[in-house]
Structure formats: C-alpha cells, structure tokens
Amino acid sequence: MAMQIEVNGKRCAVSYPPDTPLLYVLRDELGLTGTKYGCGEGQCGACTVLLAGAPRRSCQIPVSAAAAKPITTIEGLEKEGKLHPVQQAFLDAGAFQCAYCTSGMVMSSVVLLQTNANPKREEIVQFLQGNVCRCGTHPRIIEAVQHAAKMMQERAR
Amino acid sequence: MNTLRERLVAEPERFEFGAVPMHQFDLARREFFKILGAGIAVFAVAKDALAQETAPGSPSFHSEESPKEITSWLHIGEDGMVTGFTGKAEMGQNIRTSISQTLADELRVPFESVRLVMGDTALTPFDAGTFGSRTTPTMTPQFRRVAEAARNLLIGVAAKEWNVPPEGLVAADAKVTHPASKRSLTYAELARGKTLAQNLPAEDPITPATEWKIAGKPLPKVDGRAFVTGNHKYTSDIRLEGMLYGKVLRPPSFGATLVSYDDSAAKVMSGVTVVRDADFIGVAAPSAHEAHKALDAIRTQWKEVPQVSSKEIFSYLKKNAEPSSNERFRHQKGSLEEGLAAATHGLEVTYNVAYIAHSPLEPRAAVAQFADGQLTVWTGTQRPFANRDELASVFHMPESKVRVIVPDTGAAYGGKHTSDAALEAARLARAAGKPVKVVWTREEEFTWAYFRPAGVIEVKSGIASDGKLTAWEFHNYHSGMSAIETPYDVANQLTQYHQVPLVLRSGSYRGLAATANHFARETHMDALAHAAKMDPLEFRLKNLSNARIRAVLEAATRSFGWPRKKTQDGQGFGLACGTEKGSCVAACAEVAVDLASGGVRVVRVVEAFECGAIVNPDGLRNQVVGAIIQGLGGALFEAVEFENGRITNPHFATYRVPRFRDVPEIEAVLLDRKDLPSAGAGETPIMAIAPAVGNALFDATGIRLNDLPLVPSGLGKG
C-alpha cells in the first residue's frame, strides 16, 4: 500500500521505501527541488523544511516519520503569486550570492519569526547557527530577517 | 588515485593557469540566426582575449600568434529583446547581473530587456573558464564594444530607411531618433525581418565610467525571485524523463588499487546498471536509494599504499622540493648580502599554511544524456569548454557532438574547474542507455575534489634603523606564486617559488596562493614594525610607494579609527594590505581574546577595496563581505586533516566553516576609481583578512602565530 504524505497542502503518494530520507522523496519523487541537498548529515540546513510547523532537516527524517504531519517546503510559501514576507525580504536585501543555501535560510527564518516576532540580532544568529552559507552572506541574511519581521508586524497591524 | 579520469584527461590546473587551449569558434551566421531568429547580431573579435587569461610572467602564449577569436556576441531580436552570449559561468559572483548592466548601458536599452546566455558550449563563444578574476576586465570592455557596434548598425539601418546621413541620428532609450525630422524607430522595428551581422575588431570602449547610466548602479540580482522561491534549477535539481541516479564506488584511501571485485549481487538488482571500466566503478539505478543499495552490494578489496599525513606535511613539503633553475619561479633584484649587512634588525621566520577545502554548498553534480549521437551534459563547472573537450576525448567523440551547459551554480570558489562529475555521469549514461545524474555527497566533496594546496613559506628580512626595508628574501614551497612578489620598496630582494610534487589533489581556490603569500608577508611586516618599534601602519607607509595600496590602507585605517587605544584586556588590533589581479585591498581587524580560556573572537573588520570603476556596488559589496567571511574560516580554523590516505574530517561536523556566530561586525569601504578600468573582485578581497587577524591576535596577546589556521582550537589556556 502506498504511503501518503501531505506537502504544501496536497496529499502525495510515495513509493519510495519508508526509511528513505524525506529529502529524496521531496526532490526525486515529487520534483520539489527547492529543498536542497547540502551535506546529508543535518549539518548545513540547506534541506530545512517545516514539519507540523517545526524546522526539520529533511535529510535526517525518514519519510515514514513525516507521513502523519503536514510538510511545508519553500515551494509552499508563495501564496497566489505573492511572496512570503521572508522571501520578499531576502529579495529586497539581496541576501544571497550563489543562493544555494537560500531555501534553507528562508525556511528557518520563517519559523523563527513565527515564534519570535521581533528577534534581536543575537537571537537570529543563534537560530540560524545550523545553516551554512559558504558565500558569506550572513550580515545580509540577518538584515533580511529583521526586515521581514518589520514587514510582518506592519501587516499584522 | 589512478582513476579513469586521471588516466584519460590532463591533470587539472594546479596553481596558476599557464596552459590555455586554443580554439576557433566557428558558428556559421546562417546557423546563428536559425537558432536565434531574425534580427541584428554583432560578434566581438578580440585579439588579446586569450593572452589575458595567462598568468603574468608565464611563457608567451601570445596574442600575435593566436587566431582571431570571437569572444562575445549579442543579438537584438525582432521583439527588441537583447541577448548577450558569453562562455562565462554564474556561480554567485553576480556576473549575470553586472554584464547585463554593461550591455544595457552601452546599447542604451532598459536593463529589463537584456538577457544573458552563459556557459553553453553550443550557444556561447569559446571561453577558457571563469577564473582568475578575469570576467569583469575582459567581458566588460568586450560587451561594450559589441553593444557600441550594434548601436551603430541600428543607426545605419535607420539612416537607410529614412535616407538621411547617419551622423545626425541618435540611439537612446531602445530607439533611433532623427531629431531634425522628429522621426524615430525602436530597435525592435529596426531589427524586424533583418539578418544583419557584423564582425568587430578589438577597440577601446567608448563610454567612460563617468557617463555610465545603468552600469555603476546597485541593481539587484537578475532572476533573484527564482532563487527565493526555490524555482531556479541548479544542476543537481535537473530531472529528465527516464533519468537514473548514479553513484561511484570510491577507493578506501588515496592511491589504493583494486585487488578483487565482485558485482554479481549488484548486477542482478532490478533496473541497476553496473559499470567497471579500469579503476572506475559506478552504478546507475532508478532512484538514489537503489543506487546506494547496489553500490553497497559490490564487494571489493583494495591494496593500500603508505601516504603522507597532515601531521608531517610541512616537513615533507620542505624536504621534497624539486631543485629548480626555472627563472619563471625566481625574481631577484640588488644584493641580499649587502641588504642584510646594511640592516640593524634582521628577522627570519617560517610560515605554514594548511590545505583547505572549497566545500561549495552545492556539491559537484552533473546530468548526462546521450541522444542521437550527441552527448549533452549539464554540470556546475567553471570551465564548460574544457569539460566539453575532456568529455570528447574520453568518449572518442568529436567536440561538435558534445554539449556542456552550465546552469547558474551553487558556488565554486575555484573548486569546480574539473569535469569529474560530468565524466562519471556520462560514463554511466552511456552504459545505461538513459540519462544519469551524479551528485557527489558532502564526504566525496571533501575527499575526492581538490584542495587549496598547503605550503611552507620562509622569509628572511632586514631593516635599517629608520625602519626602511634593506633586504627581503621570500621562498614559497608548494602553495603557489600568486602575489608572491612584495609590493613594498626594497632594493635587495630574492623571491622564489619551489615546486613540490602533489601530495593531495590540489588546484585553484579563490585567490590561489595570494592568501598564503600575503599571510606570510604581512605577518612578517607586522613583526618587523614591532622590532622597529613603529606603528604597523606607519611602518608600511614608510616602505610603500604604490599609490593604490596606500589609498586603500588609508581608507581602511580611517574608517577603523587606527590607531586604536585598547579599552580592555585581550583586545587587539591588526592590519594588512596588498594587491593582486589589478585590485588593491587593506583590512583592519579587532579581536577579543578570553585570556582565561584562550577563546578567540573577531569583533570587527573594516576592509577597503579598490578594483577600478565599480560596475555594480551592491554585487561588489556582497563579494567583498563574502570574501572576508570565507577568509575568516581559513584564517582561524579551516584545515583538511589526513592520515593513511584518508581525509579524517570530511564532514561539516568536523571541518569547521564560518557560521553566523563567527561573523564579526563588517564594514566594506569601496573605492570607486572611475578613471581606472574595472578589475575583477572575486578573489583579492579574501587575502588580507588572515594576516590582519593574526596581527590583531599578536597585539592582544603578544603571541605571534605563524601558521594557518591561526587558532583551530583557540589559543589554549593561559
């Protein structure tokens, strides 16, 4: 019997074995390639997705463990052609160079801002410590998260 | 490491780039318009394009002998869209944006109507590769030339149309206007139904930087939206119909040779193709997990051979230097003996620099497809044409039947010159009869890619009582020649590079050996300043007449507030400067050392950088800040460890890279010299950071650190 997972609000049948890391199911089977492979060891954060709203390294989670929870990937953030404020903030701040880490950075930042609407610089640094950017765009990423926080607060008003 | 690729293809670049393949691009014009549709096209023929790629001081591969080379071109379509073509690759350095700006600027069209086709051997002109900070200095003037010629061509078409002399016509805002009669035609209208092409001899660009309208502006990254939405397709994201996933079986250690092999269990797995071709062993399967399973099922035994370890690497390098009389590696001036005799202080120090890894976040990847006698490979390489040639050679195919396409890539930093993944994917695709994707694991990336070479640098110097350098002797073993010569004024000097046979597979890296050579030189200069009881800035300025370096040094120290007074224990300030690849850099660093634990934190960095006329200040700032942060890794803690032919820290958990907590407050001061040609900026900003931090640590603690990385595990207690 095919396993099902719920990704970005859609039920998807999965034929890969239950112990396959969620990352490979998303990328190879479902074609959701916005979630990146960076290390396969949970050390770089490029594969970060939201599992029931919590940030998870999809390379470390067997797909079977994700079957009962809603999954959000970078592809699920944009609503009706409108970017999520965090995506918009990264775009506005030019917070990328090669941009391979961007999906993971954006997903982690989305969670941070859900739990902390107005994070201090040190809190952003702490939260994103597990996400690697090899191009050294960190200061702009911090700036983007702060900018996103402002946009989201204004929107909530 | 005698694998398939290493036996069949040339050794990858090691240190500098001497050998550049010669090619004549020969796309017939009719073919060109067939691909692009009707319109107007201009081809730039730059006689010096290849010569510029070679390292200074290398034997002459020179322009005079080289064939006329088409190096860039553009096409204006019937819809007015402008397409520029270049063999360069975008890897995060933002040249897609900066070149598009230049094109729009010179052609007088909106930025939005320009697009760039890059790094596609079937569509773009030959290019030796994206390295050496050559994109901006070569592509910017070339695209200006083609754009200027296209403008003149459009004016000519309009003049003919209206039967007026071209002199009175103006090209601006994507149209040609005849002010006298108030008539105008858009570029789109002028291109309609035409198949006009023009070759262009090399000439100087006509629009000076002071008159740039679109270039010089901080425009955002082209296609930025595709990156924040995850829609951009990197090589590793490509999926083709029926595509298989490939894995390569690696030996247990460098130099190991295969003794026994049994693939019977793997071969019978459903949908699995196993390839053994000499020392190449790989599998392709319908999914990555099936490929893993198949690979695990192959039984092999290997014979290993003794290998040098990282513990003994520096003495090994020194002992194994090749005796060389090659004058290319040696620069001598004045008399060292006299210089040392005239000195009141002498100093002799050895500096060691560890191997480091590029570890771009997107590992090496390729998708290969054989169809209709043609091989197409998508791969994130800095050298698409060299990759094409290697594929053609390995598979005994004519180059015309091999196409390499480089999707905008998840970074390289000099680490993606070779065609490893491309060859592996293609070998598997040929056997399987289906497209195959190979994506290296992080461990493969840390082990089987190549490294920035380790090195030993010996410096012996002398200064007079007034603080003037009297003698300078500098020997670099193995790490490389980039920026090996001192920019300081010293009458008596000897600089020499000593080759050592490779220990680990080594190659290009952002800035090459400029970082190692600057670390040694600028650390040494700092120690000399201390010996002379002079301020490090004052000491450098006393020995430096290069006005451009002086300018960045003055700009950086001014913003930093040099000289700074210490306000707490463990605080220290350091600086360093230099020049390479046509640009100049100076960095000031503030560190804080926890004197009880030995913990080290870089608190603040101010770096001034000057690369001539700035094409995109926003992209440049990203590159400069990025280089500072990446440079901090190699400065403080990055080092590849190896023993018994194995990399012992091939993971992000054990090979430490800079993370958010390591990032100091950074100020990048960009000097815009509109009177100078634009130089590249991808490399030079990395090279001053290590010595600036090391000098700051000395200022903080009185401990002089002469090895990179400086503090892989802190300074130690007490």
Side-chain angles (χ1 to χ4, degrees):
Chain A
M1 196 188 70
M3 190 180 8
Q4 288 208 329
I5 57 174
E6 187 196 318
V7 186
N8 301 330
K10 271 194 273 187
R11 304 290 302 173
C12 308
V14 173
S15 66
Y16 281 12
D19 61 346
T20 307
L22 175 60
L23 173 66
Y24 297 99
V25 173
L26 293 173
R27 286 178 54 80
D28 299 345
E29 190 166 19
L30 305 180
L32 296 168
T33 54
T35 305
K36 303 302 182 198
Y37 170 89
C39 68
E41 297 156 357
Q43 293 290 328
C44 78
C47 67
T48 305
V49 299
L50 308 190
L51 193 59
R56 290 287 178 264
R57 306 291 187 242
S58 62
C59 73
Q60 296 295 298
I61 296 178
V63 62
S64 57
K69 297 167 186 166
I71 301 159
T72 308
T73 70
I74 187 79
E75 290 91 347
L77 291 186
E78 195 179 342
K79 300 278 184 230
E80 289 153 12
K82 206 168 158 48
L83 294 179
H84 186 282
V86 174
Q87 292 174 305
Q88 188 63 52
F90 271 66
L91 194 56
D92 293 346
F96 37 63
Q97 291 185 55
C98 83
Y100 195 80
C101 71
T102 303
S103 296
M105 291 286 179
V106 167
M107 297 312 286
S108 295
S109 303
V110 164
V111 179
L112 169 63
L113 295 178
Q114 274 168 4
T115 51
N116 182 349
N118 191 18
K120 295 188 188 71
R121 186 191 162 86
E122 185 45 44
E123 291 170 323
I124 299 171
V125 165
Q126 187 66 29
F127 201 84
L128 294 180
Q129 181 68 5
N131 289 70
V132 168
C133 167
R134 280 298 277 153
C135 296
T137 322
H138 308 74
R140 287 197 187 190
I141 294 170
I142 295 169
E143 198 185 298
V145 175
Q146 289 170 327
H147 175 48
K150 262 195 212 115
M151 281 198 286
M152 289 167 79
Q153 280 173 321
E154 276 163 23
R155 204 172 283 188
R157 259 181 223 140
Chain B
M1 269 208 297
N2 208 5
T3 58
L4 172 78
R5 62 175 171 275
E6 273 150 351
R7 279 180 298 100
L8 295 177
V9 304
E11 166 103 353
E13 292 66 37
R14 289 175 57 183
F15 311 118
E16 259 80 26
F17 301 92
V20 176
M22 291 298 201
H23 288 274
Q24 187 126 37
F25 200 92
D26 192 26
L27 181 65
R29 276 179 198 176
R30 199 178 306 151
E31 190 73 9
F32 184 81
F33 286 114
K34 210 161 75 191
I35 295 166
L36 288 160
I40 285 173
V42 176
F43 305 84
V45 183
K47 63 173 164 48
D48 58 346
L50 281 179
Q52 289 184 353
E53 302 284 7
T54 58
S58 62
S60 60
F61 286 92
H62 264 266
S63 43
E64 289 73 31
E65 299 100 65
S66 68
K68 286 280 182 195
E69 191 74 21
I70 293 173
T71 51
S72 60
W73 60 54
L74 70 76
H75 173 260
I76 302 168
E78 294 182 290
D79 55 357
M81 279 303 290
V82 177
T83 311
F85 295 81
T86 169
K88 297 290 180 196
E90 170 65 52
M91 306 164 288
Q93 76 283 45
N94 217 23
I95 55 173
R96 183 180 289 285
T97 306
S98 61
I99 294 175
S100 299
Q101 281 179 266
T102 294
L103 256 181
D105 196 273
E106 194 67 48
L107 201 52
R108 320 283 194 247
V109 297
F111 179 62
E112 295 70 28
S113 62
V114 174
R115 67 186 185 109
L116 220 54
V117 173
M118 303 177 73
D120 180 334
T121 60
L123 295 180
T124 67
F126 169 79
D127 187 84
T130 308
F131 53 71
S133 293
R134 298 305 306 162
T135 301
T136 297
T138 57
M139 285 297 133
T140 300
Q142 283 176 31
F143 272 116
R144 280 202 180 273
R145 287 172 201 140
V146 288
E148 192 234 346
R151 236 170 51 213
N152 291 335
L153 205 58
L154 289 158
I155 285 176
V157 172
K160 214 167 149 192
E161 190 98 359
W162 295 325
N163 200 17
V164 297
E167 290 73 30
L169 303 188
V170 179
D173 301 325
K175 52 183 189 256
V176 176
T177 307
H178 185 227
S181 65
K182 296 206 171 73
R183 279 179 293 187
S184 70
L185 283 167
T186 63
Y187 290 179
E189 289 164 336
L190 289 166
R192 210 155 291 159
K194 309 277 191 324
T195 49
L196 274 180
Q198 182 173 321
N199 277 339
L200 176 75
E203 277 166 29
D204 287 328
I206 58 145
T207 307
T210 47
E211 289 167 32
W212 291 351
K213 299 278 191 307
I214 299 169
K217 299 284 182 299
L219 295 184
K221 185 180 178 79
V222 169
D223 299 335
R225 193 184 169 100
F227 291 100
V228 299
T229 53
N231 288 332
H232 172 70
K233 297 287 179 245
Y234 296 89
T235 297
S236 45
D237 300 330
I238 291 171
R239 299 158 82 231
L240 301 179
E241 190 62 37
M243 185 182 82
L244 303 179
Y245 294 80
K247 296 292 301 169
V248 178
L249 198 148
R250 310 286 175 190
S253 62
F254 301 135
T257 47
L258 195 60
V259 174
S260 76
Y261 174 81
D262 175 6
D263 62 8
S264 50
K267 260 188 178 154
V268 297
M269 291 178 170
S270 163
V272 169
T273 300
V274 180
V275 176
R276 182 184 169 197
D277 184 343
D279 289 357
F280 174 85
I281 301 167
V283 300
S287 68
H289 56 88
E290 286 162 291
H292 267 289
K293 228 164 99 184
L295 203 70
D296 285 348
I298 298 174
R299 298 278 157 259
T300 53
Q301 281 183 317
W302 302 80
K303 181 171 177 284
E304 301 190 38
V305 288
Q307 299 277 343
V308 182
S309 80
S310 42
K311 287 186 186 72
E312 63 204 342
I313 185 66
F314 300 119
S315 59
Y316 178 90
L317 290 177
K318 187 69 206 302
K319 259 186 254 157
N320 288 276
E322 290 166 356
S324 167
S325 55
N326 190 337
E327 284 307 308
R328 187 189 156 195
F329 297 151
R330 188 183 161 91
H331 170 77
Q332 192 164 11
K333 198 167 95 174
S335 156
L336 270 183
E337 289 68 33
E338 284 172 28
L340 289 169
T344 52
H345 285 292
L347 189 62
E348 198 171 346
V349 184
T350 299
Y351 303 87
N352 296 319
V353 177
Y355 284 99
I356 63 173
H358 312 79
S359 54
L361 205 55
E362 184 190 23
R364 248 145 267 257
V367 177
Q369 180 177 41
F370 283 89
D372 309 321
Q374 163 116 15
L375 167 62
T376 305
V377 178
W378 292 260
T379 187
T381 180
Q382 297 175 243
R383 307 184 70 214
F385 287 86
N387 274 223
R388 178 199 63 182
D389 296 351
E390 289 179 3
L391 286 159
S393 143
V394 166
F395 294 101
H396 309 291
M397 294 171 76
E399 281 161 12
S400 59
K401 294 284 179 196
V402 181
R403 179 181 185 184
V404 171
I405 302 169
V406 184
D408 289 10
T409 295
Y413 321 117
K416 291 180 178 170
H417 286 221
T418 49
S419 55
D420 314 297
L423 291 172
E424 292 163 359
R427 184 66 190 84
L428 291 167
R430 196 178 68 169
K434 288 179 179 174
V436 172
K437 173 154 77 176
V438 168
V439 180
W440 281 21
T441 64
R442 181 53 53 190
E443 184 170 342
E444 286 179 298
E445 185 67 40
F446 267 122
T447 307
W448 299 100
Y450 55 88
F451 305 101
R452 188 183 78 180
V456 175
I457 299 173
E458 294 174 340
V459 187
K460 189 176 180 182
S461 64
I463 51 171
S465 54
D466 62 352
K468 283 286 237 187
L469 286 164
T470 60
W472 184 261
E473 186 177 2
F474 192 98
H475 297 271
N476 178 313
Y477 295 86
H478 194 57
S479 104
M481 283 178 48
S482 285
I484 196 170
E485 282 186 49
T486 179
Y488 294 103
D489 311 327
V490 48
N492 307 298
Q493 50 178 289
L494 168 65
T495 302
Q496 190 159 9
Y497 171 58
H498 303 263
Q499 282 186 299
V500 186
L502 286 187
V503 177
L504 298 185
R505 192 180 182 208
S506 298
S508 184
Y509 183 100
R510 194 176 200 175
L512 301 165
T515 296
N517 287 325
H518 273 88
F519 171 69
R521 181 161 54 239
E522 288 296 295
T523 305
H524 198 88
M525 287 297 284
D526 208 71
L528 283 173
H530 187 72
K533 297 190 172 51
M534 284 174 73
D535 175 85
L537 173 63
E538 187 197 340
F539 176 70
R540 281 173 175 77
L541 290 175
K542 191 172 187 84
N543 287 288
L544 186 63
S545 54
N546 181 317
R548 287 176 70 191
I549 307 179
R550 288 180 72 100
V552 286
L553 202 45
E554 279 155 8
T557 49
R558 195 180 318 120
S559 287
F560 187 76
W562 192 279
R564 291 269 305 274
K565 281 235 155 34
K566 292 187 202 180
T567 54
Q568 56 204 39
D569 283 350
Q571 191 178 34
F573 310 105
L575 62 82
C577 62
T579 179
E580 171 70 352
K581 297 194 167 86
S583 62
C584 295
V585 66
C588 298
E590 175 185 344
V591 299
V593 178
D594 183 329
L595 296 176
S597 72
V600 167
R601 194 162 61 87
V602 179
V603 177
R604 182 174 174 234
V605 171
V606 175
E607 184 168 295
F609 182 64
E610 185 260 288
C611 57
I614 297 172
V615 181
N616 183 326
D618 185 70
L620 177 61
R621 196 170 290 281
N622 233 348
Q623 281 285 289
V624 172
V625 171
I628 292 167
I629 295 169
Q630 191 161 53
L632 281 172
L636 294 169
F637 39 68
E638 282 184 43
V640 173
E641 307 290 345
F642 50 100
E643 198 171 8
N644 299 325
R646 290 162 174 81
I647 304 298
T648 56
N649 59 343
H651 305 282
F652 279 134
T654 44
Y655 182 97
R656 185 176 166 194
V657 296
R659 290 174 184 264
F660 278 89
R661 268 206 288 272
D662 301 307
V663 175
E665 183 192 332
I666 296 175
E667 186 187 336
V669 182
L670 307 179
L671 305 186
D672 190 8
R673 286 286 303 268
K674 292 193 191 297
D675 56 322
L676 293 174
S678 306
E683 302 185 85
T684 300
I686 202 171
M687 68 192 195
I689 190 70
V693 169
N695 294 339
L697 287 170
F698 174 78
D699 187 49
T701 62
I703 299 167
R704 183 59 76 183
L705 300 168
N706 295 320
D707 297 344
L708 286 184
L710 294 160
V711 284
S713 34
L715 266 171
K717 287 185 181 166

